Amino acid sequence: MPAQAYSGKECVCKLRLASCDQSCVQDMLDTPFYVACLRLKGRSCLVVGGGDVGLEKVEGLLACDGDVTVVAPELSSELAQLAREGSIAWLQREYEPADLEGTFLVIAATNDTDVNIAVYDDAEARSMLVNVVDVPPLCNFILPAILRTGPLAIAISTAGASPALAKRMKREIGEHFGEEYARLAILLNDARGWAKATLPTYQHRKAFFEGIVDGDPDPVVLIREGRERAVLELIAQAQHQAQEGLAA
């Protein structure tokens, strides 16, 4: 259940009920979300709200190289420091619809229901990506818990049902998928150019990489044991066998 929506509390969504009856969130668990990874580098991202929640969202956007602007009359001390150092732009005033022009996505992180609804409506009218923190009915995308290790990113979502459970799963997954998986991803990426230039079809390339990843010995175990050179030898052997298969 979203933190800002539960029975008896003031309505925080577009229904504007006298008190929340959860009618806007009943279908969240049944909603199939299209999972995608967004490339934010160089894209304009807007965060409405300058408090601690806004800071959390800003940090996530900056980690993905987004160009972040925060609109808020005041900023938390941490956000103010980011503005001073030039990491973010700050519009020191209340939100205005024109703030969305030229923006790729917007996150509303305020405690003002009217502002949140306005941001959602304005963004939807522009067919933009919009997320209102802790109010899934006012979102057309949601933010899962993310485990990042090098080039790997593993997303865990409970469709807003339990962020605490998502965090626990993140911890447990992190204990299993460590640095060795990230290092293997880098080594395999180094072989992608060869595979694209040498192997004629998607099925050939798929068989090549799956033969390495699922092969014996296990490349993850080899890296975990500090035997990276053995993994490189596995890749070289797989390349040789693939070329022999094409020539046969």
Side-chain angles (χ1 to χ4, degrees):
M1 184 62 58
Q4 295 184 17
Y6 57 84
S7 294
K9 190 173 181 179
E10 178 184 0
C11 180
V12 296
C13 77
K14 292 177 66 176
L15 296 179
R16 305 315 300 267
L17 303 174
S19 64
C20 177
D21 66 0
Q22 304 177 25
S23 58
C24 65
V25 296
Q26 291 298 323
D27 67 339
M28 287 302 297
L29 294 179
D30 297 323
T31 298
F33 286 92
Y34 184 76
V35 179
C37 297
L38 301 178
R39 184 174 182 177
L40 297 185
K41 185 174 183 178
R43 293 187 181 274
S44 178
C45 305
L46 181 69
V47 175
V48 182
D52 291 339
V53 177
L55 172 65
E56 177 186 349
K57 303 310 174 185
V58 165
E59 289 177 336
L61 295 170
L62 290 177
C64 296
D65 294 328
D67 289 343
V68 181
T69 297
V70 176
V71 56
E74 298 179 353
L75 295 181
S76 69
S77 59
E78 292 90 344
L79 282 173
Q81 176 59 35
L82 291 175
R84 284 193 297 271
E85 68 188 30
S87 295
I88 64 173
W90 178 26
L91 301 178
Q92 190 176 3
R93 54 169 171 76
E94 300 289 347
Y95 162 78
E96 298 174 1
D99 295 332
L100 299 181
E101 298 304 323
T103 299
F104 180 65
L105 66 79
V106 57
I107 298 176
T110 83
N111 57 8
D112 188 317
T113 298
D114 291 332
V115 172
N116 291 341
I117 292 174
V119 171
Y120 175 80
D121 286 340
D122 295 339
E124 279 282 284
R126 292 165 172 78
S127 299
M128 284 178 53
L129 293 170
V130 55
N131 176 283
V132 176
V133 177
D134 270 343
V135 190
L138 296 183
C139 302
N140 57 29
F141 77 97
I142 59 175
L143 296 169
I146 302 292
L147 171 67
R148 297 187 189 277
T149 307
L152 299 183
I154 303 174
I156 305 100
S157 173
T158 59
S162 178
L165 177 58
K167 289 181 180 179
R168 171 180 170 172
M169 294 173 66
K170 174 182 175 180
R171 290 195 305 271
E172 294 179 357
I173 290 172
E175 293 171 358
H176 184 74
F177 296 100
E179 292 288 341
E180 60 272 22
Y181 283 87
R183 185 59 190 156
L184 179 59
I186 293 172
L187 295 178
L188 293 175
N189 183 67
D190 291 342
R192 289 184 65 196
W194 175 90
K196 287 185 177 181
T198 307
L199 305 179
T201 69
Y202 167 80
Q203 292 300 331
H204 284 93
R205 295 188 290 273
K206 177 182 177 185
F208 168 72
F209 284 110
E210 289 184 351
I212 297 170
V213 171
D214 299 328
D216 185 18
D218 186 336
V220 171
V221 173
L222 292 177
I223 294 176
R224 191 176 290 152
E225 293 174 347
R227 300 168 62 194
E228 187 171 306
R229 182 174 294 277
V231 177
L232 295 175
E233 292 172 355
L234 282 179
I235 294 173
Q237 182 181 5
Q239 289 173 326
H240 179 69
Q241 291 175 343
Q243 287 179 309
E244 284 189 335
L246 292 176

